[in-house]
Amino acid sequence: SDLKAMKLEKTSISSDGLSPSKATLKTRFATPDDENHVVELAKVFLAASPYRDIAIDDSTLRQVFRQLLEGGCIIVNERGFIAGVLAPLFFAPNVKVATELAWWAPDAEGTHLRELFEEWAQENGASAVQMSALNNAYAARLTENLVKNGYTPVEVAYLKAL
C-alpha cells in the first residue's frame, strides 16, 4: 500500500509508554497545506542548530519543502517535523538508505515522527534508516533513545565554519 496516500495518524504516548500524553499530537505525512507550519518549525529548528548564522529566507525553505514533498518525505505534527530522502550508499548504489535531513521535536516528542519515517522508509525499499542528532544538551538522551530502538552509531560529523 502507498503510505503517502494513507491518512496514518499516531497519538503521542506519555513517558511511561502507556497512557496518552496531555498534549495529544497527531503525526502524519505533510500535505501542501502544511507548508506555512513546516516553514515556521524549520526556522525554530535552524535557530537551534549550528547553521543558525546562515541567512535562510522563507522562499528557500518553501522551495525545500515542496521538493521534499515531491521527492522525499516530510512527516509533521503540531509541534515538530521530520524530513528526509532515500539515498544510495556511495559504495553500494543498489542499497537505499532513508536519510533524515532535519528532525525537530521539542520536549522529546519525536518518537512517532521517527516511527512513521521508518515505516515510509521500509515501504519505499530502504534497507536502513540513518538519523542524526545535534550535538547539544539533548544529544546523550537522543542517542540513548535511538540505540534502545535498534540504531547503531556509525559516524560522527564535524563542522568548520569558513
Side-chain angles (χ1 to χ4, degrees):
S1 68
D2 182 15
L3 282 178
K4 281 199 181 239
M6 295 172 66
K7 300 225 181 209
L8 186 56
E9 293 181 350
K10 293 195 174 198
T11 302
S12 182
I13 302 298
S14 67
S15 60
D16 66 11
L18 302 172
S19 57
S21 68
K22 290 178 185 171
T24 299
L25 301 177
K26 292 182 180 173
T27 301
R28 59 184 173 70
F29 290 100
T31 69
D33 292 338
D34 293 309
E35 185 172 321
N36 291 333
H37 178 59
V38 173
V39 165
E40 291 306 312
L41 289 171
K43 287 191 231 177
V44 176
F45 168 76
L46 287 167
S49 82
Y51 305 104
R52 65 185 151 272
D53 295 330
I54 297 173
I56 303 291
D57 60 32
D58 279 17
S59 65
T60 300
L61 290 172
R62 290 178 188 289
Q63 181 180 5
V64 170
F65 173 85
R66 291 178 196 134
Q67 288 172 339
L68 287 173
L69 205 58
E70 224 16 72
C73 179
I74 302 174
I75 297 164
V76 66
N77 61 34
E78 290 88 347
R79 300 193 47 185
F81 76 100
I82 190 168
V85 295
L86 292 176
L89 286 177
F90 176 77
F91 51 85
N94 58 327
V95 176
K96 287 195 273 184
V97 176
T99 303
E100 170 258 320
L101 301 175
W103 185 17
W104 179 249
D107 302 323
E109 295 175 345
T111 298
H112 292 126
L113 294 166
R114 177 188 47 79
E115 290 173 342
L116 194 50
F117 185 67
E118 291 168 356
E119 290 176 25
W120 169 82
Q122 188 170 32
E123 180 73 16
N124 285 278
S127 300
V129 175
Q130 179 177 317
M131 304 293 287
S132 59
L134 293 176
N135 189 23
N136 61 18
Y138 301 105
R141 192 165 90 193
L142 178 58
T143 298
E144 181 181 316
N145 182 283
L146 288 172
V147 168
K148 181 178 109 180
N149 284 286
Y151 286 79
T152 302
V154 292
E155 291 185 17
V156 176
Y158 295 89
L159 178 69
K160 178 181 176 181
L162 301 175

